[in-house]
Amino acid sequence: MTENPLVSTEWLAEHLNAPDLVVLDASMYLPNAGRDANAEYLAEHIPGAVRFDIDDISDPNSDLPHTLPAPHVFSSKMRKLGVGDGQTVVVYDSAGFYAAPRAWWMFKVMGAEQVFILNGGLPKWKAEGRPVEDGIVTRPERHFTARLNHGAVADLSDVKQMVQDKSRQILDARPAARFKAEIPEPRAGLRGGHMPGALNTPSTGFTAEDGTFLDPEELKKIFVDAGVDLDKPVTTSCGSGVTAAVITLALTLVGHKDHTLYDGSWTEWGGRDDTEVVTG
């Protein structure tokens, strides 16, 4: 993509009432967080924002959490949300940069062009004293055309192959303690550790103290310090395919082109007995 995928709170405030703009609240939390993203959306959200529920907008036939749905399912969900072709979409979440990059990535993989992430998310919006509202927001249905870019999504067989032949670098967005198996996974039944050869680039390390994303030069340093060769292909991973998109966003911002996202991520890899796991 040629545009900066981030928009500022100032920009959104100025364009909030534009007729071709759709704002989406894509907030979600880990299973052990004890928070209800849907309830929090009903209590407060950016004015006019529609709820984008990543768990609902997923493959209903998958045993894995919130994996990508088929294009026709995504199209149907977007139509019902009132998201249509040619509109400008801005996604945000209540953590700043947790789930919004996943929603952005879903749109990009489905062929949408004008999709952006609110830099700093709801925390920055509220910290600046900008308005919020409560209740449900609905929009008139619109036609949405989804064309899945299969080349942007890695599956289990792809990752097994890259572990074996080292054809791609695997970047894991989970916290270091989970990556090293020093603490248990938040989802029951998963082994701790990481894929052989994977590099740890925790998703929380890409933001500044004010919650906004770091500039490209700072992002490049993070990657280089982690041992990443930005001239070589990358596949991103995490716990369940959500914060992997934070790395994907960072790669996009530094101009990296050849990256995929492992949709099953550690929930799939760590939940099987035919995958190799490294600890420490």
Side-chain angles (χ1 to χ4, degrees), residues 29-258:
Y29 303 105
L30 284 170
N32 61 352
R35 297 178 65 175
D36 185 334
N38 287 321
E40 292 185 18
Y41 164 80
L42 290 175
E44 62 173 11
H45 52 258
I46 292 175
V50 178
R51 178 78 177 116
F52 185 98
D53 186 342
I54 289 174
D55 284 320
D56 177 64
I57 306 167
S58 63
D59 182 359
N61 300 314
S62 176
D63 294 331
L64 299 169
H66 41 253
T67 49
L68 271 178
H72 73 276
V73 174
F74 190 82
S75 292
S76 176
K77 295 286 187 180
M78 293 308 99
R79 182 180 68 249
K80 291 175 181 176
L81 291 185
V83 181
D85 293 337
Q87 292 181 314
T88 297
V89 176
V90 175
V91 295
Y92 74 87
D93 69 61
S94 54
F97 282 100
Y98 180 71
R102 168 72 185 194
W104 163 79
W105 176 80
M106 292 170 70
F107 275 104
K108 300 302 291 183
V109 168
M110 292 294 177
E113 293 294 333
Q114 295 295 109
V115 185
F116 305 92
I117 305 168
L118 180 62
N119 200 0
L122 187 62
K124 189 170 190 295
W125 181 271
K126 289 170 59 180
E128 294 167 348
R130 302 189 188 277
V132 294
E133 65 179 11
D134 58 12
I136 297 174
V137 175
T138 58
R139 297 175 59 93
E141 290 194 4
R142 292 282 296 265
H143 176 75
F144 185 93
T145 305
R147 298 183 181 91
L148 177 60
N149 177 8
H150 293 276
V153 188
D155 62 17
L156 178 65
S157 62
D158 296 327
V159 179
K160 282 185 174 182
Q161 184 65 39
M162 65 186 74
V163 165
Q164 180 178 341
D165 62 18
K166 298 178 174 57
S167 56
R168 303 181 72 88
Q169 301 166 100
I170 301 171
L171 305 189
D172 192 321
R174 291 174 300 152
R178 287 171 59 191
F179 182 84
K180 298 175 183 178
E182 294 172 347
I183 59 173
E185 286 293 305
R187 288 181 171 83
L190 301 185
R191 292 175 291 167
H194 56 270
M195 302 154 199
L199 301 172
N200 191 206
T201 52
S203 61
T204 53
F206 295 109
T207 50
E209 289 186 8
D210 67 351
T212 58
F213 228 66
L214 296 173
D215 66 51
E217 289 307 311
E218 292 173 301
L219 296 174
K220 284 181 182 179
K221 185 178 187 304
I222 290 173
F223 285 126
V224 171
D225 288 349
V228 181
D229 186 339
L230 291 171
D231 292 324
K232 294 182 179 180
V234 168
T235 292
T236 64
S237 181
C238 60
S240 62
V242 174
T243 57
V246 177
I247 308 178
T248 301
L249 172 62
L251 290 168
T252 301
L253 287 166
V254 301
H256 190 275
K257 302 295 183 184
D258 188 356

